[in-house]
């Protein structure tokens, strides 16, 4: 039996275990990426390992998230990251050079290689046939130290693309269609592998939009074959030498097949507050909008911005709309400046932002009170735009641009014209904002501003824990709920004592104070607890507040691993009725916890209710040792 593309790449990188879905494997990592918001912590962890230089083929440190410098904190972090890169042999992508995923695709990604990134949208690299996976900073630090990355061998789902998209329907609509059919939790421990004759009709930026937003399915990653389209893209980037042809064997065996007929797709929109809350634009057309944001690692490529400019050209945005645009990289920015695209955007009334994440993660351009914001980004979680009452709708660049002119959500097919965007044969190659590390052995000083606080002490798991259920939340709680981002909180990513004050702030602002006062306790969650970002602060900050056990119906992949990495035990209800029974304020008691970990089932007593719950841990032996010792660094 032949192999899927994912298995082909994993088989050449397998360091531990067997490729049997559901079992734990260790994978050799060729490349890593970090961004500033997760990077400072990742490098503090790397430093703690005492390794003189990164051991990967390539490790890149990007600055793209915390670029809104309203205080000294972010600038201090950038300087720390630049110094660290020089000291440990990393490539440094300076602020202004662009969003990590876009830049990595353009300048560094290589088909067939493995990439581990401390950002959940690292699978963007799957657009050029990489196995690109998002993880917590500590896992990335371990990969930089030359250790294999451990994960559950996923199931592999083939997504068969048939036919060709009709005008004004684009790649974003393909991934929204998948999110419409599946949900934000259906991709957990699965990989989506694209195939079929529709693949060759999609450019690399379009493929990358799809693999990028595969993260919203909860998937381990998504991957496209590496074909002649990939070759042309790499050649245009002056990197044709990095090309290798890669595809699944014809007789490859998949765990499931999904078919999407591209020619019958229509423009789609994800309604608040979940990327899988998808309907046709037609179904809610006419919705009055206040804001449009075009950008983020999902839709900020040259192709997207040229398309937007062709739609906006000679027109003015509606008086009720504020349109902001952030090009994905300096390369894109330079090229739109040169080819006249920028002029068309500015002339129409667009507010041009720097090449960074920006509004996608609440860094500026917060919508007005009760505002309706149309965005080309990938997440519309409640509160993420920077205000709790904003309603964020996710759409394609085409839908965003047409709606910006009309002032209401509009199906872009009204334009009734065929706009063909031809990508250039040669992209502008100017890597002057990329700093290569000095040769090994060069002395490099690391400057640390006052916001950069040391890591906490990691203590072994206590054998007995008694405490209160400090909070009980529902299904699909995101890491944005647990550890908010945005302009107010993001600057404290390297200051754990301070950022811990914001845990669950948008759900229950009293949480952090209560946790601290009671010296810890339990968190109870529903299904897919911790979905969304890779931010390990969503585990580290609760650890800092004294949490050692989280009980949920199920966990999202990256967050579960982050909990384990910091010595927090993730437990699953064996009987979901117990989730209904348990209440905030109940006192729970776990005794003989250490020896109980040898069993699959762990008993925890609800002292308040006089009942005992059966809980599963599903940890591998390696993970059990890790949690017992107080996390991965101790282990
Ligand atoms: C996100 O899109 O939520 C982020 C901000 O990029 C995060 C990383 C972080 O929280 O720093 C992610 O996707 O992992
Ligand atoms: Fe940045 Fe938004 Fe992409 Fe996260 S999803 S990497 S915040 S652009």
């Amino acid at each position: 039996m032949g192999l899927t593309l994912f298995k082909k790449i994993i088989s050449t990188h397998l360091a531990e275990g067997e490729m049997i879905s559901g079992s734990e494997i260790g994978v050799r990592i060729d490349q890593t990426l970090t961004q500033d918001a997760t990077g400072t912590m990742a490098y503090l962890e790397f430093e703690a390992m005492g390794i003189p230089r990164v051991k990967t083929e390539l490790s890149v440190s990007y600055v793209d998230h915390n670029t809104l410098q309203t205080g000294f904190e972010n600038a201090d972090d950038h300087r720390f990251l630049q110094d660290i890169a020089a000291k440990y042999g990393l490539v440094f992508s300076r602020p202004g050079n662009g969003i990590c995923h876009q830049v990595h695709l353009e300048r560094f990604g290589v088909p067939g290689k493995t990439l581990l990134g401390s950002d959940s949208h690292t699978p963007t690299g799957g657009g050029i046939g990489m196995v690109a996976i998002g993880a917590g900073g500590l896992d990335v630090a371990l990969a930089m130290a030359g250790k294999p990355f451990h994960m559950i061998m996923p199931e592999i789902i083939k997504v068969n693309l048939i036919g060709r998209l009709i005008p004004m329907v684009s790649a974003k609509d393909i991934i929204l269609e998948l999110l419409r059919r599946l949900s934000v939790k259906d991709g957990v421990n699965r990989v989506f592998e694209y195939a079929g004759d529709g693949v060759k009709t999609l450019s690399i930026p379009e493929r990358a939009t799809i693999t990028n937003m595969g993260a919203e399915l909860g998937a381990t990653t998504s991957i496209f074959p590496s074909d002649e389209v990939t070759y042309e893209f790499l050649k245009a980037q002056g990197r044709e030498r990095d090309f290798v042809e890669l595809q699944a064997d014809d007789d490859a065996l998949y765990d499931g097949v999904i078919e999407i007929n591209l020619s019958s797709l229509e423009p789609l929109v994800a309604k608040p507050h979940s990327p899988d809350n998808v309907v046709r634009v037609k179904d809610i057309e006419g919705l009055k909008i206040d804001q449009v944001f075009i950008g983020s690692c999902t839709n900020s490529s040259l192709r997207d911005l040229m398309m937007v400019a062709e739609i906006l050209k000679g027109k003015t945005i509606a008086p009720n709309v504020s349109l902001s645009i952030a090009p994905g990289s300096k390369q894109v920015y330079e090229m739109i400046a040169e080819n006249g695209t920028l002029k068309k955007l500015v002339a129409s009334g667009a507010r041009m932002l720097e090449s960074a994440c920006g509004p996608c993660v609440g860094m500026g351009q917060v919508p007005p009170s009760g505002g309706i914001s149309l965005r080309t980004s990938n997440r519309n979680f409640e509160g993420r735009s920077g205000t709790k009452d904003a309603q964020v709708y996710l759409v394609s660049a085409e839908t965003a641009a047409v709606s910006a002119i009309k002032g209401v959500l509009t199906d872009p097919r009204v334009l009734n014209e065929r706009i063909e965007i031809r990508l250039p044969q040669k992209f502008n190659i100017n890597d002057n904002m990329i700093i290569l590390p000095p040769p090994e052995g060069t002395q490099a000083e690391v400057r640390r501003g006052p916001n950069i606080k040391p890591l906490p002490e990691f203590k072994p798991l206590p054998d007995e824990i008694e405490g209160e259920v400090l909070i009980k939340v529902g299904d699909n709680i995101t890491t944005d709920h647990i550890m908010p981002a945005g302009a107010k909180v993001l600057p404290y990513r390297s200051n754990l004592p301070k950022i811990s004050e914001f845990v669950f702030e948008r759900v229950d602002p009293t949480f952090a104070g209560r946790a601290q006062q009671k010296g810890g306790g339990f968190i109870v969650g529903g299904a897919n607890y911790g979905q969304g970002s890779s931010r390990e602060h969503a585990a580290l900050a609760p650890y800092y507040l004294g949490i050692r056990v989280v009980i949920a119906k199920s966990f999202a992949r990256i967050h579960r691993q982050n909990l384990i990495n910091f010595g927090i035990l993730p437990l699953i209800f064996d009987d979901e009725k117990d989730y209904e029974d348990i209440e905030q304020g109940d006192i729970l008691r776990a005794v003989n916890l250490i020896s109980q970990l040898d069993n699959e089932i762990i008993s925890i007593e609800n002292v308040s209710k006089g009942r005992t719950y059966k809980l599963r841990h599903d940890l591998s032996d390696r993970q059990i040792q890790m949690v017992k010792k107080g996390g991965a660094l101790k282990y």
Side-chain angles (χ1 to χ4, degrees):
M1 196 51 76
L3 288 181
T4 63
L5 174 52
F6 179 78
K7 278 195 178 166
K8 277 190 186 178
I9 299 175
I10 293 295
S11 68
T12 58
H13 290 82
L14 197 63
E16 287 164 34
E18 280 179 73
M19 294 195 297
I20 302 166
S21 48
S23 68
E24 191 178 76
I25 56 169
V27 180
R28 261 190 307 105
I29 297 300
D30 301 320
Q31 301 187 346
T32 64
L33 72 77
T34 57
Q35 39 87 345
D36 49 323
T38 54
T40 47
M41 206 44 94
Y43 296 111
L44 288 172
E45 289 151 3
F46 183 78
E47 274 188 312
M49 292 172 196
I51 286 160
R53 209 168 166 90
V54 293
K55 296 191 172 169
T56 44
E57 289 175 15
L58 173 79
S59 286
V60 189
S61 170
Y62 292 92
V63 178
D64 54 4
H65 280 63
N66 279 328
T67 57
L68 202 64
Q69 290 156 223
T70 50
F72 65 90
E73 293 86 356
N74 297 342
D76 278 8
D77 283 357
H78 302 170
R79 192 171 62 182
F80 167 77
L81 291 169
Q82 185 165 349
D83 291 348
I84 285 278
K87 180 164 177 190
Y88 292 107
L90 288 109
V91 172
F92 184 68
S93 172
R94 298 174 64 184
N97 197 43
I99 306 176
C100 54
H101 309 303
Q102 177 71 26
V103 178
H104 208 85
L105 195 74
E106 291 167 356
R107 306 304 305 139
F108 299 111
V110 177
K113 297 274 182 191
T114 52
L115 166 69
L116 194 72
S118 63
D119 192 282
S120 64
H121 291 103
T122 303
T124 312
I128 53 167
M130 301 190 87
V131 165
I133 301 175
L138 184 45
D139 280 320
V140 176
L142 286 163
M144 291 191 289
K147 303 278 179 218
F149 171 62
H150 291 95
M151 63 173 188
I152 305 274
M153 178 68 194
E155 286 187 344
I156 301 160
I157 310 297
K158 178 179 185 176
V159 185
N160 210 13
L161 302 179
I162 303 165
R164 173 183 282 277
L165 293 168
I166 61 169
M168 291 295 149
V169 178
S170 67
K172 182 65 158 278
D173 300 307
I174 302 178
I175 188 64
L176 286 174
E177 169 65 9
L178 212 49
L179 279 152
R180 190 185 69 80
R181 293 197 207 173
L182 305 175
S183 76
V184 289
K185 54 180 189 296
D186 286 341
V188 178
N189 293 328
R190 293 203 164 128
V191 164
F192 293 88
E193 191 170 308
Y194 290 83
D197 63 3
V199 165
K200 64 176 184 305
T201 68
L202 299 172
S203 65
I204 294 301
E206 291 173 294
R207 295 178 189 185
T209 292
I210 296 169
T211 54
N212 170 282
M213 212 173 160
E216 273 52 69
L217 293 161
T220 302
T221 192
S222 304
I223 187 166
F224 271 85
S226 173
D227 58 10
E228 62 278 10
V229 179
T230 322
Y231 175 76
E232 289 305 327
F233 176 81
L234 289 172
K235 190 165 156 228
Q237 292 285 354
R239 303 204 290 123
E240 60 269 39
R241 270 193 312 191
D242 287 337
F243 175 74
V244 270
E245 195 179 337
L246 291 167
Q247 59 188 24
D249 291 328
D250 289 340
D251 57 347
L253 192 64
Y254 290 89
D255 298 295
V257 181
I258 295 173
E259 202 159 86
I260 300 182
N261 187 343
L262 301 184
S263 38
S264 62
L265 279 189
E266 293 187 50
L268 298 172
V269 49
K271 298 194 294 178
H273 295 287
S274 183
D276 61 359
N277 194 7
V278 176
V279 296
R280 295 182 317 157
V281 171
K282 271 261 164 282
D283 296 334
I284 54 167
E285 202 170 27
L287 177 80
K288 188 136 189 250
I289 54 178
D290 301 291
Q291 186 192 52
V292 176
F293 165 58
I294 298 175
S296 90
C297 53
T298 320
N299 282 110
S300 59
S301 66
L302 181 65
R303 181 245 165 236
D304 285 330
L305 298 195
M306 283 171 69
M307 171 60 81
V308 169
E310 286 315 302
I311 295 171
L312 295 179
K313 157 175 91 180
K315 306 193 177 80
T316 302
I317 55 168
N320 56 303
V321 170
S322 159
L323 166 66
S324 48
I325 302 182
S329 69
K330 174 170 155 288
Q331 183 184 69
V332 172
Y333 227 143
E334 273 186 43
M335 292 182 73
I336 62 166
E338 249 169 44
N339 72 8
T341 298
L342 183 58
K343 185 168 175 214
K344 292 173 197 157
L345 299 177
V346 174
S348 75
R351 301 162 67 181
M352 295 305 296
L353 307 177
E354 69 172 312
S355 190
C357 301
C360 174
V361 66
M363 297 300 267
Q365 304 291 318
V366 175
S369 295
I372 296 194
S373 181
L374 220 56
R375 299 182 166 212
T376 65
S377 45
N378 45 39
R379 290 188 172 142
N380 56 350
F381 302 145
E382 194 176 3
R384 183 175 161 101
S385 66
T387 169
K388 197 163 160 54
D389 60 6
Q391 307 276 320
V392 177
Y393 291 74
L394 306 174
V395 292
S396 69
E398 288 82 347
T399 303
V402 173
S403 304
I405 303 167
K406 302 279 183 198
V408 293
L409 178 64
T410 307
D411 186 323
R413 289 174 297 178
V414 291
L415 276 195
N416 214 6
E417 56 181 296
R418 193 178 193 100
I419 303 174
E420 285 255 22
I421 302 299
R422 288 195 160 274
L423 286 179
Q425 303 248 306
K426 205 95 213 109
F427 289 95
N428 274 20
I429 297 160
N430 178 4
D431 290 333
N432 61 343
M433 293 297 274
I434 289 174
I435 301 179
L436 299 179
E440 203 168 345
T442 314
Q443 280 298 322
E445 185 208 348
V446 176
R447 289 163 293 174
R448 278 162 230 265
N451 191 43
I452 298 176
K453 298 278 187 269
L455 294 172
E457 196 194 330
F458 293 106
K459 300 197 188 115
L461 186 72
D463 197 33
E464 186 171 332
I465 302 180
E466 182 168 319
E468 189 178 308
V469 175
L470 294 167
I471 194 164
K472 179 182 168 182
V473 288
D475 290 348
N476 294 320
I477 286 295
T478 71
T479 53
D480 280 273
H481 291 105
I482 306 169
M483 185 76 262
K488 192 170 93 185
V489 186
L490 266 186
Y492 302 118
R493 283 292 180 91
S494 27
N495 184 343
L496 191 58
K498 181 71 189 164
I499 207 169
S500 299
E501 294 171 13
F502 297 94
V503 175
F504 279 120
E505 202 212 15
R506 289 193 194 126
V507 182
D508 177 353
T510 69
F511 176 86
R514 287 188 292 114
Q516 214 139 28
Q517 189 208 339
K518 303 208 158 124
F522 293 80
I523 294 174
V524 173
N528 201 25
Y529 178 79
Q531 68 152 329
S533 86
S534 70
R535 65 190 71 147
E536 56 191 357
H537 304 73
L540 203 41
Y543 174 87
Y544 184 81
L545 296 174
I547 308 292
R548 295 306 297 266
V549 179
V550 178
I551 310 171
K553 288 186 195 165
S554 67
F555 290 89
R557 176 186 64 89
I558 306 180
H559 185 60
R560 176 175 177 276
Q561 187 56 52
N562 284 340
L563 290 171
I564 296 166
N565 282 351
F566 296 109
I568 300 178
L569 185 59
L571 294 176
I572 301 164
F573 288 103
D574 196 48
D575 182 348
E576 288 196 4
K577 278 202 231 91
D578 293 339
Y579 169 84
E580 305 303 332
D581 187 62
I582 205 165
E583 279 176 282
Q584 185 166 322
D586 284 356
I587 302 294
L588 304 187
R589 182 162 57 212
V591 290
N592 302 325
L593 204 49
I594 302 295
S595 56
Q596 283 211 68
L597 279 173
D598 296 337
N599 314 324
E600 254 165 54
I601 297 283
I602 289 185
S603 306
I604 289 192
E605 192 190 340
N606 186 334
V607 181
S608 310
K609 296 254 163 76
R611 294 198 44 188
T612 300
Y613 302 132
K614 294 209 174 318
L615 306 159
R616 280 183 292 117
H617 64 67
D618 285 356
L619 301 185
S620 67
D621 291 344
R622 198 184 52 85
Q623 289 171 323
I624 292 175
Q625 295 313 322
M626 212 178 257
V627 171
K628 279 186 187 168
K629 288 213 154 64
L633 277 175
K634 275 292 172 74
Y635 175 72

